[in-house]
Amino acid sequence: MRRRRFIAALLLVTLVVLGLKSLGVSFGLPGSSTTTSSSTTSSTTTSTLPPTSSTSTSTSTSTTTSTTPPTTTTTPSSFAVGVTSYLENEPAGPHNGLRVFPVTVRYPAEGTPGLVQAGLHPYRDAGTFPLLVFSAGFELAPETYAGLLDAWAAAGYIVASPTYPLTVPGPNVQVLETDIVHHPGDLSAVLDTLIADNSYDGSRFHELINTNEIGVVGQSDGGDVSLATVANTCCRDPRVRAAAILSGAELSWFPGTYFTAGSTPLLVAQGTNDLLLNPVSCSTQIYDHAPAPKYYLSLLNQTHLSAYVPAGPERSIVAATTINFFNAYLKNETGALAAMTSAGNNPGLSTLTNQAFVPGPPPIVKGKQSCPDSPYGLSAAAG
């Protein structure tokens, strides 16, 4: 695919090395590897906090009984973020062999909000949390997007970010973009592992994940993977309930068809100045084809990565809009859609719509409406 090649080298080495070293994250699993998926979290002692609600009754010598009201716990609006990792061992399938790749998992943790640190105890007083799986762009490590990953976890989400095989260059590592056709299966394997860990008493995530509240997020090629997981007949995973596609596309390399069997609620985000790597028409194509409920976040004057990677108001807009989208469709929070509308509409920075089609004429490139490698390729511009 033509649209991502030159962006990796500028960001990969510095962000991966500095980001992961600062977190102290290790990708090794203790013990021998097996052909079944197993998280390192299963070897971590889970710290279960004592109940925070108690009722005590004291009876005097008279017939009067005084009862102390139960102590109640208010769920924080923001959490510290714990970080752990494991190696996914995806069993061989009919079209591929054994696939082994690292997965980093962020989770709401005990501690001061704003703290991001490896190995913190999970926050258990709030019950379970929804699960998000994030898929990164080609030749970009997931830690490139650490600002967004941390924001989602701090808002009360468990966030898994796999490094799919053949996607990130390194010593003796070859990349192959066409391997993307296997990534929806890799994503589903990550879900299998974390859902199994949720039931395993020795896991860090034991009874911490709400398995009925699962969403996916992806950027660039990772957006293509996330979209296929919820909207392409080749790869739909019914466990996924909502998806945010950040500068992604419908991709002809996946063998199925899009939206012919429906879709989850969808949030599509796109920078208006992303003219080469993921032209605006790629995102408008997704949005216009998708059934409701759907939302289109237009990031004014932004390029392919500028609203997702560097800190700034644009990344804050993406974080707030995606968080409220998932709050609405995974957590079913009252007022979340209104909060999303407010977060997504910022004069001079962004607009958010839920109209049937993206307002305005389609973007034109060299006289054509273009989305490279989509099932529709180049189409003659209307009018």
Side-chain angles (χ1 to χ4, degrees), residues 42 58 64-65 127 150 195 232 258 269 272 347:
S42 63
S58 60
T64 302
T65 301
D150 292 341
I195 289 172
N232 191 304
Y258 285 93
T272 61

Side-chain angles (χ1 to χ4, degrees), residues 28-310:
L29 276 177
S32 60
S33 60
T34 65
T35 58
T36 59
S37 300
S38 177
S39 165
T40 55
T41 59
S42 63
S43 66
T44 304
T45 301
T46 302
S47 174
T48 304
L49 300 178
T52 57
S53 298
S54 61
T55 303
S56 59
T57 303
S58 60
T59 306
S60 67
T61 56
S62 68
T63 58
T64 302
T65 301
S66 63
T67 302
T68 303
T71 301
T72 58
T73 300
T74 301
T75 301
S77 59
S78 182
F79 297 87
V81 175
V83 186
T84 189
S85 62
Y86 74 94
L87 280 177
E88 182 65 53
N89 290 272
E90 181 184 352
H95 303 295
N96 57 270
L98 173 69
R99 293 170 68 82
V100 180
F101 53 93
V103 182
T104 298
V105 185
R106 287 166 164 81
Y107 54 91
E110 297 177 10
T112 304
L115 175 66
V116 179
Q117 184 175 309
L120 295 177
H121 289 299
Y123 190 96
R124 295 192 174 273
D125 287 352
T128 59
F129 298 97
L131 170 63
L132 300 178
V133 180
F134 175 76
S135 299
F138 181 61
E139 295 188 324
L140 290 174
E143 288 302 313
T144 304
Y145 308 85
L148 285 176
L149 302 177
D150 292 341
W152 294 326
Y157 289 85
I158 296 171
V159 184
S161 51
T163 300
Y164 298 127
L166 305 176
T167 57
V168 179
N172 302 314
V173 176
Q174 189 175 25
V175 296
L176 180 66
E177 194 167 13
T178 54
D179 190 66
I180 192 174
V181 297
H182 299 301
H183 296 175
D186 297 339
L187 190 158
S188 291
V190 171
L191 292 183
D192 292 342
T193 295
L194 292 175
I195 289 172
D197 275 9
N198 192 58
S199 300
Y200 175 56
D201 188 57
S203 166
R204 182 186 301 272
F205 301 116
H206 180 231
E207 297 183 347
L208 197 68
I209 300 170
N210 188 328
T211 57
N212 292 316
E213 298 178 350
I214 296 175
V216 293
V217 194
Q219 198 274 328
S220 196
D221 275 17
D224 304 353
V225 173
S226 298
L227 182 65
T229 302
V230 299
N232 191 304
T233 55
C234 72
C235 315
R236 286 196 69 179
D237 191 318
R239 297 171 294 186
V240 180
R241 304 296 180 88
I245 312 301
L246 312 179
S247 302
E250 298 178 25
L251 184 61
S252 61
W253 298 356
F254 294 116
T257 57
Y258 285 93
F259 300 113
T260 55
S263 175
T264 65
L266 204 64
L267 171 64
V268 179
Q270 174 72 35
T272 61
N273 280 0
D274 189 353
L275 302 178
L276 296 176
L277 297 177
N278 195 81
V280 175
S281 53
C282 291
S283 288
T284 59
Q285 183 181 92
I286 294 171
Y287 182 83
D288 291 349
H289 290 166
K294 60 182 180 179
Y295 305 87
Y296 186 88
L297 178 65
S298 181
L299 300 159
L300 307 180
N301 302 313
Q302 297 304 300
T303 58
H304 193 57
L305 292 173
S306 62
Y308 310 125
V309 173

